[in-house]
Amino acid sequence: MINIIKNYNTDNYHTYTIKTPTGLFLITYENVGDLFFHCIYHGIHEEAPDNITFNITKENYFLYQLFLELYTSIKNNTPYINSIYDYEFKNNILPPYLSNPKNLFHNNIVDWYDDDNPSEYASRLIIEKAKESIKITFTKNTNPNDYTLYTVRIRNSGSRYTPYNITFMNFYQNLEKYPYNYPYHQIHIEEYLYNQKRKKRKTN
């Protein structure tokens, strides 16, 4: 089961912990004005694997759909779509932007290198669309002076991928719409069909 837990960090911003059958990762906005995606790893630093992968399935269709929108907006070079900046861009208030800066989208994956480190050391957040899931991979930071391991910083000022940081901020803000305070959420038809397929596979 995929769950989303909402809390507050020390700067009083929302923090979202996503629990999947294969592990946890954290999405947080910090007082420096940037987003951070963290893979939560509890093992020994020296034995940490080169990458850790999670699958966001249609089991939680709300979250699956958010990741799919994030992936699609980067693939289609539409960083402002469905964001607060969409109107300004369509009406030529915002300046033009560079499509796919620094090869952010290649080989059908979104490949974001941590904005805190040079690319040769940086941890990476890789988002890939599969048949019925979104595959999330964190690669390990190899900077010998940085022990954050699987943390990917998305700068809102000075990012190598500007303006696609806005796409991630839009994703973060939309996480607020999930019905956290209710014991049950309204099941989307895709979510229902996915769970029925899983049950059928288990009984065969």
Side-chain angles (χ1 to χ4, degrees), residues 79-80 88-98 163:
Y80 303 118
E88 286 87 347
F89 179 71
K90 288 178 179 177
N91 288 275
N92 298 315
I93 298 171
L94 284 172
Y97 58 87
L98 176 67

PDB file of all heavy atoms in Angstrom, residues 79-80 88-98 163:
ATOM      1  N   PRO A  79       6.972  23.641 -18.795  1.00  0.00           N
ATOM      2  CA  PRO A  79       7.244  23.746 -17.356  1.00  0.00           C
ATOM      3  C   PRO A  79       6.186  24.495 -16.564  1.00  0.00           C
ATOM      4  O   PRO A  79       6.055  24.290 -15.360  1.00  0.00           O
ATOM      5  CB  PRO A  79       8.582  24.496 -17.310  1.00  0.00           C
ATOM      6  CG  PRO A  79       8.640  25.249 -18.597  1.00  0.00           C
ATOM      7  CD  PRO A  79       7.966  24.367 -19.595  1.00  0.00           C
ATOM      8  N   TYR A  80       5.430  25.371 -17.215  1.00  0.00           N
ATOM      9  CA  TYR A  80       4.471  26.196 -16.479  1.00  0.00           C
ATOM     10  C   TYR A  80       3.053  25.623 -16.479  1.00  0.00           C
ATOM     11  O   TYR A  80       2.159  26.188 -15.872  1.00  0.00           O
ATOM     12  CB  TYR A  80       4.412  27.605 -17.076  1.00  0.00           C
ATOM     13  CG  TYR A  80       5.754  28.313 -17.105  1.00  0.00           C
ATOM     14  CD1 TYR A  80       6.330  28.696 -18.306  1.00  0.00           C
ATOM     15  CD2 TYR A  80       6.440  28.582 -15.921  1.00  0.00           C
ATOM     16  CE1 TYR A  80       7.556  29.352 -18.342  1.00  0.00           C
ATOM     17  CE2 TYR A  80       7.668  29.223 -15.942  1.00  0.00           C
ATOM     18  CZ  TYR A  80       8.214  29.603 -17.147  1.00  0.00           C
ATOM     19  OH  TYR A  80       9.425  30.248 -17.176  1.00  0.00           O
ATOM     20  N   GLU A  88       0.711  33.780 -17.186  1.00  0.00           N
ATOM     21  CA  GLU A  88       1.731  34.759 -17.554  1.00  0.00           C
ATOM     22  C   GLU A  88       2.531  34.307 -18.770  1.00  0.00           C
ATOM     23  O   GLU A  88       2.864  35.104 -19.651  1.00  0.00           O
ATOM     24  CB  GLU A  88       2.674  34.997 -16.368  1.00  0.00           C
ATOM     25  CG  GLU A  88       2.084  35.824 -15.249  1.00  0.00           C
ATOM     26  CD  GLU A  88       1.311  34.981 -14.252  1.00  0.00           C
ATOM     27  OE1 GLU A  88       1.021  33.799 -14.559  1.00  0.00           O
ATOM     28  OE2 GLU A  88       0.986  35.498 -13.170  1.00  0.00           O
ATOM     29  N   PHE A  89       2.824  32.993 -18.814  1.00  0.00           N
ATOM     30  CA  PHE A  89       3.598  32.491 -19.945  1.00  0.00           C
ATOM     31  C   PHE A  89       2.797  32.555 -21.242  1.00  0.00           C
ATOM     32  O   PHE A  89       3.288  32.992 -22.288  1.00  0.00           O
ATOM     33  CB  PHE A  89       4.055  31.060 -19.677  1.00  0.00           C
ATOM     34  CG  PHE A  89       4.841  30.471 -20.802  1.00  0.00           C
ATOM     35  CD1 PHE A  89       6.127  30.899 -21.078  1.00  0.00           C
ATOM     36  CD2 PHE A  89       4.290  29.495 -21.614  1.00  0.00           C
ATOM     37  CE1 PHE A  89       6.857  30.372 -22.126  1.00  0.00           C
ATOM     38  CE2 PHE A  89       5.004  28.955 -22.668  1.00  0.00           C
ATOM     39  CZ  PHE A  89       6.286  29.391 -22.922  1.00  0.00           C
ATOM     40  N   LYS A  90       1.536  32.121 -21.191  1.00  0.00           N
ATOM     41  CA  LYS A  90       0.701  32.113 -22.394  1.00  0.00           C
ATOM     42  C   LYS A  90       0.440  33.514 -22.924  1.00  0.00           C
ATOM     43  O   LYS A  90       0.177  33.691 -24.117  1.00  0.00           O
ATOM     44  CB  LYS A  90      -0.625  31.407 -22.095  1.00  0.00           C
ATOM     45  CG  LYS A  90      -0.473  29.905 -21.933  1.00  0.00           C
ATOM     46  CD  LYS A  90      -1.797  29.248 -21.589  1.00  0.00           C
ATOM     47  CE  LYS A  90      -1.644  27.741 -21.457  1.00  0.00           C
ATOM     48  NZ  LYS A  90      -2.913  27.085 -21.044  1.00  0.00           N
ATOM     49  N   ASN A  91       0.523  34.509 -22.055  1.00  0.00           N
ATOM     50  CA  ASN A  91       0.278  35.885 -22.475  1.00  0.00           C
ATOM     51  C   ASN A  91       1.575  36.684 -22.633  1.00  0.00           C
ATOM     52  O   ASN A  91       1.561  37.914 -22.593  1.00  0.00           O
ATOM     53  CB  ASN A  91      -0.654  36.573 -21.472  1.00  0.00           C
ATOM     54  CG  ASN A  91      -2.074  36.053 -21.579  1.00  0.00           C
ATOM     55  OD1 ASN A  91      -2.856  36.513 -22.397  1.00  0.00           O
ATOM     56  ND2 ASN A  91      -2.407  35.062 -20.751  1.00  0.00           N
ATOM     57  N   ASN A  92       2.686  35.952 -22.774  1.00  0.00           N
ATOM     58  CA  ASN A  92       3.998  36.549 -23.063  1.00  0.00           C
ATOM     59  C   ASN A  92       4.480  37.507 -21.985  1.00  0.00           C
ATOM     60  O   ASN A  92       5.269  38.422 -22.261  1.00  0.00           O
ATOM     61  CB  ASN A  92       3.969  37.271 -24.430  1.00  0.00           C
ATOM     62  CG  ASN A  92       3.680  36.321 -25.574  1.00  0.00           C
ATOM     63  OD1 ASN A  92       4.242  35.244 -25.637  1.00  0.00           O
ATOM     64  ND2 ASN A  92       2.784  36.728 -26.466  1.00  0.00           N
ATOM     65  N   ILE A  93       4.007  37.315 -20.756  1.00  0.00           N
ATOM     66  CA  ILE A  93       4.498  38.131 -19.639  1.00  0.00           C
ATOM     67  C   ILE A  93       5.836  37.584 -19.150  1.00  0.00           C
ATOM     68  O   ILE A  93       6.732  38.340 -18.782  1.00  0.00           O
ATOM     69  CB  ILE A  93       3.460  38.159 -18.500  1.00  0.00           C
ATOM     70  CG1 ILE A  93       2.156  38.805 -19.001  1.00  0.00           C
ATOM     71  CG2 ILE A  93       3.993  38.900 -17.278  1.00  0.00           C
ATOM     72  CD1 ILE A  93       1.003  38.701 -18.043  1.00  0.00           C
ATOM     73  N   LEU A  94       5.966  36.248 -19.165  1.00  0.00           N
ATOM     74  CA  LEU A  94       7.231  35.616 -18.799  1.00  0.00           C
ATOM     75  C   LEU A  94       8.115  35.504 -20.033  1.00  0.00           C
ATOM     76  O   LEU A  94       7.624  35.318 -21.150  1.00  0.00           O
ATOM     77  CB  LEU A  94       6.984  34.219 -18.233  1.00  0.00           C
ATOM     78  CG  LEU A  94       6.439  34.147 -16.804  1.00  0.00           C
ATOM     79  CD1 LEU A  94       6.076  32.711 -16.474  1.00  0.00           C
ATOM     80  CD2 LEU A  94       7.441  34.684 -15.813  1.00  0.00           C
ATOM     81  N   PRO A  95       9.441  35.595 -19.862  1.00  0.00           N
ATOM     82  CA  PRO A  95      10.351  35.456 -21.015  1.00  0.00           C
ATOM     83  C   PRO A  95      10.388  34.023 -21.506  1.00  0.00           C
ATOM     84  O   PRO A  95      10.005  33.096 -20.790  1.00  0.00           O
ATOM     85  CB  PRO A  95      11.708  35.876 -20.426  1.00  0.00           C
ATOM     86  CG  PRO A  95      11.596  35.566 -18.972  1.00  0.00           C
ATOM     87  CD  PRO A  95      10.167  35.840 -18.605  1.00  0.00           C
ATOM     88  N   PRO A  96      10.833  33.799 -22.761  1.00  0.00           N
ATOM     89  CA  PRO A  96      10.978  32.431 -23.263  1.00  0.00           C
ATOM     90  C   PRO A  96      11.983  31.648 -22.429  1.00  0.00           C
ATOM     91  O   PRO A  96      12.816  32.234 -21.726  1.00  0.00           O
ATOM     92  CB  PRO A  96      11.476  32.618 -24.692  1.00  0.00           C
ATOM     93  CG  PRO A  96      11.553  34.061 -24.935  1.00  0.00           C
ATOM     94  CD  PRO A  96      11.250  34.807 -23.691  1.00  0.00           C
ATOM     95  N   TYR A  97      11.910  30.338 -22.497  1.00  0.00           N
ATOM     96  CA  TYR A  97      12.800  29.498 -21.711  1.00  0.00           C
ATOM     97  C   TYR A  97      13.495  28.503 -22.629  1.00  0.00           C
ATOM     98  O   TYR A  97      13.075  28.251 -23.753  1.00  0.00           O
ATOM     99  CB  TYR A  97      12.022  28.752 -20.628  1.00  0.00           C
ATOM    100  CG  TYR A  97      10.911  27.882 -21.172  1.00  0.00           C
ATOM    101  CD1 TYR A  97      11.154  26.575 -21.569  1.00  0.00           C
ATOM    102  CD2 TYR A  97       9.621  28.393 -21.327  1.00  0.00           C
ATOM    103  CE1 TYR A  97      10.136  25.785 -22.094  1.00  0.00           C
ATOM    104  CE2 TYR A  97       8.614  27.619 -21.851  1.00  0.00           C
ATOM    105  CZ  TYR A  97       8.875  26.322 -22.236  1.00  0.00           C
ATOM    106  OH  TYR A  97       7.870  25.549 -22.755  1.00  0.00           O
ATOM    107  N   LEU A  98      14.563  27.920 -22.108  1.00  0.00           N
ATOM    108  CA  LEU A  98      15.325  26.929 -22.850  1.00  0.00           C
ATOM    109  C   LEU A  98      14.656  25.568 -22.713  1.00  0.00           C
ATOM    110  O   LEU A  98      14.436  25.092 -21.603  1.00  0.00           O
ATOM    111  CB  LEU A  98      16.760  26.866 -22.311  1.00  0.00           C
ATOM    112  CG  LEU A  98      17.687  25.811 -22.904  1.00  0.00           C
ATOM    113  CD1 LEU A  98      17.970  26.145 -24.362  1.00  0.00           C
ATOM    114  CD2 LEU A  98      18.992  25.751 -22.111  1.00  0.00           C
ATOM    115  N   PRO A 163      13.563  26.746 -16.201  1.00  0.00           N
ATOM    116  CA  PRO A 163      12.533  26.982 -15.187  1.00  0.00           C
ATOM    117  C   PRO A 163      11.802  25.715 -14.733  1.00  0.00           C
ATOM    118  O   PRO A 163      10.709  25.793 -14.183  1.00  0.00           O
ATOM    119  CB  PRO A 163      11.558  27.889 -15.935  1.00  0.00           C
ATOM    120  CG  PRO A 163      11.566  27.323 -17.319  1.00  0.00           C
ATOM    121  CD  PRO A 163      12.980  26.865 -17.562  1.00  0.00           C
TER     122      PRO A 163
END
